[in-house]
């Protein structure tokens, strides 16, 4: 009796014939004809495939995060380099009298200066230091509000307000001389 293996098949040679029951032969031929695995084997294969897919997705997400971080750092470096070169050009242009491009730090300083100027303007606009002008302005506003359809009836308040402004302008011009 000899046994040899080729291509995963076992060939047995015997002098006595071997007989199998018909249901065994039928079961073996069904398994061989069917390309689908058993339900237990299929669930094991599915679980293995799901695990491999999840691992691959995790690796891809990590790689994506790394690429995004590299891009972000490269853009930051590029922006800083651009600001430095623009600031260098701005100083050269400022010396030459041309228009200038400023860095973000210089722009923040300019913005703070503008805020201070706005605050000063708002305090001047409030008319706290000029009570007679404020009173004539309030009288004019209340007259306009009470005579919405006939604003010409507020001519006295308009004249008083104009006189107050004129007086204030005269005082201001005296301080300039």
């Amino acid at each position: 009796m000899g046994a040899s293996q080729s291509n995963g098949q076992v060939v047995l040679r015997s002098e006595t014939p071997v007989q199998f029951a018909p249901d065994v032969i039928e079961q073996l031929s069904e398994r061989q004809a069917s390309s689908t695995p058993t339900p237990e084997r299929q669930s094991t294969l599915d679980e293995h495939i799901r695990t491999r897919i999840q691992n691959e997705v995790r690796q891809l997400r990590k790689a994506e995060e790394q690429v995004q971080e590299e891009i972000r750092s490269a853009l930051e470096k590029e922006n800083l380099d651009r600001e430095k070169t623009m600031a260098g050009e701005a100083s050269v242009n400022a010396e030459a009298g041309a228009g200038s491009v400023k860095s973000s730090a210089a722009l923040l300083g300019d913005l703070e200066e503008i805020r201070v100027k706005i605050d000063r303007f708002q305090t001047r606009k409030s008319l706290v230091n000029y009570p007679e002008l404020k009173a004539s302005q309030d009288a004019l506003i209340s007259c306009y509000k009470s005579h919405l359809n006939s604003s010409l009836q507020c001519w006295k308040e308009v004249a008083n307000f104009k006189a107050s402004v004129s007086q204030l302008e005269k005082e201001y011009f005296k301080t300039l001389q």
Side-chain angles (χ1 to χ4, degrees), residues 1-139:
M1 193 162 104
S4 70
Q5 289 184 340
S6 67
N7 297 333
Q9 295 179 350
V10 177
V11 178
L12 299 174
R13 298 189 194 263
S14 162
E15 294 171 5
T16 60
V18 179
Q19 290 187 350
F20 294 101
D23 57 340
V24 172
I25 292 174
E26 186 178 319
Q27 186 180 10
L28 288 174
S29 66
E30 283 178 6
R31 280 194 180 172
Q32 188 175 16
S34 149
S35 64
T36 60
T38 63
E40 298 85 26
R41 176 78 176 137
Q42 185 64 42
S43 66
T44 305
L45 287 172
D46 289 346
E47 184 61 32
H48 179 70
I49 290 171
R50 267 190 233 104
T51 306
R52 289 190 66 189
I53 288 173
Q54 288 173 352
N55 288 338
E56 189 66 27
V57 166
R58 269 190 238 114
Q59 289 176 352
L60 288 173
R61 285 186 179 149
K62 285 180 185 178
E64 181 184 14
E65 287 174 4
Q66 289 175 346
V67 167
Q68 286 179 347
E69 184 60 35
E70 289 173 3
I71 289 171
R72 192 175 301 118
S73 64
L75 286 174
E76 285 177 6
K77 183 181 181 305
E78 182 179 326
N79 286 340
L80 286 175
D81 291 345
R82 187 178 306 137
E83 273 190 15
K84 287 178 185 176
T85 57
M86 290 176 131
E89 290 173 4
S91 64
V92 170
N93 288 341
E95 290 172 6
S100 63
V101 177
K102 298 182 177 182
S103 69
S104 58
L107 290 174
L108 285 175
D110 290 348
L111 184 62
E112 189 59 34
E113 281 182 40
I114 291 172
R115 283 187 185 141
V116 168
K117 289 178 182 179
I118 289 173
D119 290 341
R120 275 190 271 154
F121 176 76
Q122 292 296 338
T123 56
R124 278 191 233 143
K125 184 180 169 187
S126 68
L127 303 176
V128 173
N129 297 334
Y130 310 104
E132 61 278 345
L133 184 62
K134 181 71 174 156
S136 65
Q137 179 188 27
D138 292 340

Side-chain angles (χ1 to χ4, degrees), residues 134-145:
K134 181 71 174 156
S136 65
Q137 179 188 27
D138 292 340
L140 179 62
I141 291 172
S142 67
C143 182
Y144 278 145
K145 285 182 180 179

